[in-house]
Amino acid sequence: MSDLSFDKKTERKPEEFTNNEYDAGFVTDIETDTLPPGLNEDVIRHISAKKDEPEWLLNWRLEAFRHWQTMTEPHWAHVDYKQIDYQAISYYSAPKSQEDGPKSLDEIDPKLLETYDKLGIPLREQEFLAGVAVDAVFDSVSVATTFKGKLKDAGVIFCPISEAVRDYPELVQQYLGTVVPTGDNFYAALNSAVFTDGSFVYIPKGVRCPMELSTYFRINALNTGQFERTLIIADEGAYVSYLEGCTAPQRDENQLHAAVVELVLLDDAQIKYATVQNWYPGDENGVGGIYNFVTKRADCRGQRSKVSWTQVETGSAITWKYPSCVLRGDDSVGEFYSVALTKMRQEADTGTKMIHIGKNTKSTIVSKGIAAGHGQQAYRGLVRIGKNADGARNFTQCDSLLIGDTCGAHTFPYVEVKNPTATMEHEATTSKIGEDQLFYCRQRGISEEDAVNMIVNGFCKDVFNELPMEFAVEANRLMEVSLEGAVG
Amino acid sequence: MLKVKNLHASVDGKKILKGINLEIGAGEVHAIMGPNGSGKSTLSNIIAGRDGYEVTAGSISYKGKDLLAMEPEERAWEGVFLAFQYPVEIAGVNNTYMLKAGVNAKRKHQGEQELDAIDFMQLVKEKAKMVELDQSFLSRGVNEGFSGGEKKRNEIFQMAVLEPSLALLDETDSGLDIDALRIVANGVNKLRREERSIVMVTHYQRLLDYIEPDFVHVLADGKILKSGDKSLALELESRGYDWVKEEEADRIKAA
Ligand SMILES: Nc1ncnc2c1ncn2[C@@H]1O[C@H](COP(=O)(O)OP(=O)(O)OP(=O)(O)O)[C@@H](O)[C@H]1O
Ligand SMILES: [Mg+2]
């Protein structure tokens, strides 16, 4: 017999773990009102004027801008990308049809409705998943918010932040920038100067928000940055579960997304904040994709308040993101559950900060990193136990799963303990997706692709369990789509 | 059912199988015995389609088809089942969920309707009873935290659910306590069918006391040196393997 080598006919290499389709990569052809590229005080005045903002907010922006100009871009993250030219970005783009301010749902440009339909986010209330209210942000503006009326009946405010500035100025002024100050970091300062839209949520005392809230971010315009700002306030004893999703067209140019999210929790309040991030990741050669530089922080001001961040990060060319919890109130609890998947040339440097200030504060970190292709993955986490944080506890688990030989995973855990009564637990593992696990599944009749999905989803289970039901299914599906073609 | 002809295989250039000839008819039970490292698991793995072996000569036909040209999952769909010597743990993947995916992939391949969750649960409960596998194992991760013996029992449970035509049991008896051995062996006996062939790799006669083989083969140094009926196993139990190797050496000298 001539050639009986056991190599299979369809053998593919891990390097090919790449060429999956990004199904949110289409562009909506819509007339826009877009500022020319460039950033200066006039641009900021222009944005502020467009939104008809009060004087204090314009000044707040200008102050942030002046601060930003004195700052330098941070480069400590384990990511590598081309220098960003901040003067080449346009800082405002809005669909023309939305110019005259928010309209009722029936009046939304059909092209926008179609865009969100294609993304699986119908904006007509009766069609969407029962019990989920959606705020849709398209480039720089919010184009629709559903179920506003029903929420209002419960006393819940859920609206675009630009609208909140107009309708609830005292709430916005009281809390904006108190969790992430304007000068917190380079990207937060930039965001404070130029932020355009985002969601605002206020849950009054003792109210349990009657439905899931969710914001859907879409970048559409070319050369535009998206700088959204989200502010959520849970008053005493309030509860809300919030989810954000993100997509962008497939383009060869990199686009910047620098968001700031601030969460405020008073006594006994609880916020569950989930992110399913699926920005365009670029192609297999690392061309295009979103730079996702985000500052997210929760301030547990109240006693017994509880915040949990759950994130599923599958998109973006570069991710730089550390949702954090400041556990100020006694007995407050912070949780961080993360799944990050990097493939092709994607890079992610993500993790969390748990700052224990109050007594008997508790934090949990579960981070699952999956790298395939030439993907790079870093977990970076800080746990700081302050000197007055008697009885503080932290549990950290960070696991990495590698698919193939050309990817990498790194962990950078930082721990600062200034109180001897603290209890710290840390577990970390790195494993390769086992040939033996794959073979085991295939021997039982499961195709290789299904086996990889099954193993990866099993690896992520602890995190997916934290997502609201509807979105756990979505997260599973997203992982499957992202891993498509990841094996052969 | 299965015809292995002059099979040569190596790993990283190291020759492991050196001309295996083995024929297994429908409904037959074969036992393969032999010293550690002689190539028993290698043979089972190659039949099941594991990567990493280079077949340098020979062929395997199964139900008249060229087995080596098939993907592992295709072999499974066609009824090849391997009970692993070292079953692997897959954290977070539900045991039943995985099995259901396997069963339904097979059914789909055979043009049968997939089982829904209710029918599948019924099937699974019935089979779990057969190998006295506690139901709590059904909802755990695949082999996750199972003891050595529990893993082996789980393998036979999976065999019962998947209903293969050719079952390769690689040292399923190792690691089982006395009671478990009896239970698992009884389970296998209940799975004996006229059209189902079973190959057992084992080191010990006591398994063969429960499951009587039609044929016993000695695999040493990559070759089947001797084949016989169940009495051969008893002879091996008392005399070890050296005499088989010596006989082979004499045979080679004479030739
Ligand atoms: N992946 C591998 N790399 C290197 N050597 C291997 C590999 N797989 C098998 N071998 C070698 O091939 C030989 C046969 O191994 P195999 O596992 O088939 O033996 P076995 O007969 O099943 O032994 P045991 O009774 O101990 O289970 C051994 O010497 C083993 O070290
Ligand atoms: Mg073996």
Side-chain angles (χ1 to χ4, degrees):
Chain A
M1 292 212 147
S2 53
D3 180 23
L4 256 179
S5 121
F6 202 58
D7 282 345
K8 309 260 191 39
K9 41 192 189 309
T10 55
E11 187 102 357
R12 274 192 279 165
K13 293 277 162 288
E15 298 82 86
E16 292 173 49
F17 282 28
T18 53
N19 20 24
N20 65 317
E21 295 288 315
Y22 178 75
D23 59 9
F26 62 91
V27 180
T28 306
D29 182 18
I30 195 162
E31 252 194 281
T32 58
D33 167 24
T34 304
L35 274 184
L39 182 55
N40 52 50
E41 293 201 0
D42 284 344
V43 167
I44 292 166
R45 285 175 207 284
H46 183 91
I47 293 171
S48 191
K50 269 254 170 234
K51 297 187 170 290
D52 216 0
E53 285 176 356
E55 186 76 19
W56 68 265
L57 192 50
L58 174 62
N59 289 335
W60 190 83
R61 287 175 179 277
L62 290 171
E63 197 183 309
F65 178 64
R66 287 168 198 146
H67 194 148
W68 178 74
Q69 287 176 305
T70 68
M71 301 169 93
T72 48
E73 202 178 300
H75 286 290
W76 42 262
H78 194 87
V79 292
D80 185 19
Y81 55 90
K82 282 193 304 257
Q83 186 73 34
I84 299 171
D85 180 358
Y86 292 93
Q87 295 303 333
I89 298 171
S90 163
Y91 289 83
Y92 184 85
S93 177
K96 269 228 165 89
S97 50
Q98 296 298 116
E99 241 185 352
D100 313 323
K103 297 179 179 175
S104 83
L105 287 176
D106 321 327
E107 292 170 57
I108 295 176
D109 189 320
K111 272 191 183 161
L112 290 172
L113 283 180
E114 199 187 308
T115 301
Y116 284 89
D117 267 348
K118 264 199 206 170
L119 296 167
I121 320 281
L123 296 176
R124 297 173 202 90
E125 291 181 357
Q126 64 276 22
E127 284 176 18
F128 195 60
L129 299 156
V132 182
V134 182
D135 183 18
V137 177
F138 192 86
D139 290 329
S140 304
V141 292
S142 168
V143 294
T145 311
T146 64
F147 291 110
K148 262 182 169 166
K150 190 170 174 205
L151 289 166
K152 211 166 178 184
D153 293 343
V156 171
I157 304 171
F158 178 43
C159 65
I161 198 159
S162 48
E163 208 176 303
V165 168
R166 196 185 62 216
D167 297 346
Y168 312 98
E170 52 312 310
L171 271 178
V172 177
Q173 196 169 7
Q174 185 182 347
Y175 290 106
L176 187 72
T178 61
V179 181
V180 179
T182 51
D184 187 79
N185 67 67
F186 184 82
Y187 301 112
L190 177 62
N191 174 287
S192 303
V194 301
F195 80 88
T196 43
D197 227 330
S199 298
F200 176 82
V201 178
Y202 174 75
I203 317 286
K205 244 182 217 179
V207 170
R208 192 180 166 88
C209 186
M211 54 177 75
E212 301 274 346
L213 303 184
S214 105
T215 302
Y216 200 87
F217 295 99
R218 174 75 177 167
I219 296 180
N220 187 64
L222 189 67
N223 288 330
T224 317
Q226 192 176 52
F227 304 93
E228 91 261 6
R229 185 114 195 163
T230 295
L231 175 58
I232 302 180
I233 301 142
D235 212 323
E236 290 171 26
Y239 168 89
V240 64
S241 167
Y242 178 92
L243 182 121
E244 61 174 358
C246 338
T247 56
Q250 193 159 335
R251 287 220 171 87
D252 289 348
E253 298 80 18
N254 296 108
Q255 273 177 288
L256 178 62
H257 173 257
V260 171
V261 175
E262 299 180 279
L263 311 185
V264 177
L265 297 93
L266 303 184
D267 286 354
D268 299 295
Q270 187 180 353
I271 299 179
K272 288 186 162 195
Y273 192 107
T275 303
V276 175
Q277 185 263 108
N278 186 27
W279 294 121
Y280 177 55
D283 70 8
E284 58 266 41
N285 300 314
V287 176
I290 301 291
Y291 290 165
N292 189 34
F293 301 147
V294 173
T295 306
K296 293 185 167 176
R297 196 172 302 153
D299 191 352
C300 288
R301 292 181 191 171
Q303 302 192 3
R304 298 168 303 278
S305 55
K306 179 175 177 184
V307 67
S308 74
W309 297 104
T310 303
Q311 58 174 25
V312 177
E313 306 275 326
T314 58
S316 297
I318 311 279
T319 296
W320 180 96
K321 174 179 177 192
Y322 317 90
S324 307
C325 305
V326 181
L327 304 173
R328 216 182 290 279
D330 291 349
D331 301 294
S332 57
V333 176
E335 296 172 340
F336 173 74
Y337 299 95
S338 169
V339 163
L341 170 76
T342 49
K343 57 183 191 291
M344 302 187 285
R345 300 277 170 181
Q346 281 178 282
E347 300 173 57
D349 193 302
T350 184
T352 185
K353 290 184 208 163
M354 295 291 175
I355 311 297
H356 292 253
I357 298 170
K359 294 187 188 13
N360 299 313
T361 45
K362 234 168 72 183
S363 63
T364 302
I365 300 171
V366 177
S367 160
K368 305 275 181 177
I370 301 139
H374 290 88
Q376 289 291 329
Q377 203 38 246
Y379 165 80
R380 190 180 302 276
L382 167 69
V383 179
R384 179 185 292 153
I385 313 278
K387 62 178 190 305
N388 297 322
D390 293 340
R393 292 173 161 269
N394 165 261
F395 171 77
T396 298
Q397 180 184 346
C398 60
D399 299 325
S400 313
L401 186 67
L402 305 177
I403 305 176
D405 300 320
T406 49
C407 51
H410 318 267
T411 52
F412 304 97
Y414 305 93
V415 175
E416 296 171 22
V417 181
K418 298 209 178 85
N419 184 310
T421 64
T423 314
M424 313 284 288
E425 270 181 88
H426 185 98
E427 289 173 14
T429 64
T430 299
S431 47
K432 271 190 77 165
I433 199 160
E435 279 300 320
D436 45 351
Q437 291 179 328
L438 279 179
F439 178 59
Y440 191 88
C441 294
R442 297 179 77 187
Q443 209 307 298
R444 298 303 183 245
I446 298 160
S447 72
E448 191 167 15
E449 185 142 342
D450 289 348
V452 168
N453 281 330
M454 207 177 271
I455 294 166
V456 169
N457 276 313
F459 176 76
C460 302
K461 205 177 91 185
D462 296 346
V463 174
F464 289 169
N465 281 347
E466 296 297 325
L467 289 170
M469 249 274 275
E470 303 88 326
F471 298 112
V473 175
E474 177 63 19
N476 259 296
R477 196 197 64 86
L478 183 59
M479 294 301 281
E480 272 168 30
V481 173
S482 303
L483 285 167
E484 228 160 70
V487 284
Chain B
M1 177 75 62
L2 183 78
K3 279 190 195 137
V4 181
K5 274 198 202 144
N6 188 33
L7 187 71
H8 285 72
S10 45
V11 174
D12 299 333
K14 182 185 164 199
K15 286 186 177 138
I16 297 173
L17 299 184
K18 303 168 184 171
I20 301 272
N21 289 294
L22 185 64
E23 215 167 293
I24 292 166
E28 294 174 358
V29 175
H30 291 238
I32 297 180
M33 306 183 79
N36 291 135
S38 57
K40 303 181 296 297
S41 294
T42 302
L43 177 62
S44 319
N45 285 336
I46 290 178
I47 294 172
R50 188 176 203 130
D51 252 341
Y53 302 98
E54 198 192 344
V55 173
T56 51
S59 65
I60 305 178
S61 87
Y62 169 72
K63 293 180 176 172
K65 289 183 192 158
D66 177 5
L67 194 66
L68 294 177
M70 290 156 71
E71 300 284 345
E73 56 269 35
E74 291 177 297
R75 301 180 199 203
W77 299 336
E78 292 289 335
V80 175
F81 178 86
L82 172 62
F84 287 76
Q85 183 175 0
Y86 304 109
V88 65
E89 300 194 10
I90 309 176
V93 177
N94 180 287
N95 211 9
T96 311
Y97 179 77
M98 187 212 64
L99 201 49
K100 181 165 173 246
V103 166
N104 278 335
K106 185 173 175 180
R107 291 181 74 96
K108 206 167 152 191
H109 174 76
Q110 289 165 339
E112 290 170 341
Q113 203 167 3
E114 298 184 21
L115 290 181
D116 63 24
I118 298 165
D119 289 345
F120 186 75
M121 269 329 279
Q122 198 171 340
L123 173 73
V124 152
K125 281 183 181 163
E126 183 189 310
K127 302 294 183 181
K129 223 174 254 162
M130 195 169 126
V131 291
E132 297 181 30
L133 185 78
D134 192 277
Q135 291 207 5
S136 63
F137 288 96
L138 300 178
S139 52
R140 280 168 65 175
V142 176
N143 293 316
E144 201 180 349
F146 288 24
S147 77
E150 288 162 355
K151 285 180 184 167
K152 295 303 178 72
R153 202 182 290 207
N154 192 34
E155 294 292 289
I156 299 306
F157 158 68
Q158 297 191 11
M159 170 181 166
V161 174
L162 286 162
E163 306 192 313
S165 344
L166 174 68
L168 309 158
L169 314 183
D170 192 354
E171 295 199 26
T172 299
D173 53 335
S174 318
L176 291 177
D177 68 40
I178 298 158
D179 291 332
L181 178 65
R182 183 176 37 80
I183 292 161
V184 166
N186 284 340
V188 173
N189 277 330
K190 281 184 222 156
L191 291 170
R192 283 179 82 156
R193 297 280 184 284
E194 251 175 60
E195 67 291 349
R196 177 173 298 147
S197 312
I198 299 177
V199 178
M200 297 183 292
V201 172
T202 183
H203 289 295
Y204 305 107
Q205 171 61 34
R206 42 167 213 206
L207 177 69
L208 308 181
D209 290 341
Y210 289 110
I211 310 170
E212 256 189 40
D214 301 306
F215 301 94
V216 175
H217 310 276
V218 178
L219 202 166
D221 193 22
K223 269 183 272 186
I224 292 190
L225 296 188
K226 203 170 178 68
S227 298
D229 62 12
K230 62 185 179 194
S231 64
L232 176 59
L234 288 167
E235 199 171 358
L236 293 170
E237 179 94 341
S238 60
R239 293 176 68 188
Y241 292 114
D242 282 350
W243 65 277
V244 185
K245 289 187 195 164
E246 278 156 26
E247 267 186 23
E248 170 74 358
D250 291 345
R251 202 180 56 78
I252 290 170
K253 237 182 268 168

